[in-house]
Each structure stands twice: as C-alpha cells, then as structure tokens.
Amino acid sequence: MAPAPCAFDPAAGNRAEQPFPDGARARYVQPECTANSGRPAGQLSELELYRR
C-alpha cells in the first residue's frame, strides 16, 4: 500500500481510516508512521483490522 496522509479532525471524533485496496489480502500488518503535520512525533492509540 502506498503512503497516504490522514487528517485527525476533532469534529469527526479524531478518527482516520486508511482503506485497503479491493481484493487486498494480508496475514501480517505492520503500520509505519513516517511523518506528522502537527507535532514532531507519531502516535497510534488503536488499530483495528477486519476481515470482510
């Protein structure tokens, strides 16, 4: 998956979704924060993956 920016908006509950391409399959997932537009640090407080 290509990197994509995510915006955390307090009006939207500070949620950001990064959908996988249709038909994508993965056994292991490793998130990687490469930049932050607001602070010089990254934070991941929750990660949920679902199988459809």
Side-chain angles (χ1 to χ4, degrees):
M1 233 168 81
C6 295
F8 293 92
D9 180 5
N14 279 325
R15 294 180 61 169
E17 294 183 13
Q18 181 65 43
F20 283 86
D22 287 340
R25 296 178 59 92
R27 183 170 181 175
Y28 302 101
V29 177
Q30 180 178 349
E32 181 178 345
C33 297
T34 58
N36 189 337
S37 61
R39 295 185 51 139
Q43 179 179 343
L44 179 64
S45 61
E46 184 174 341
L47 175 67
E48 296 182 21
L49 300 171
Y50 298 92
R51 182 178 180 192
R52 292 185 189 183

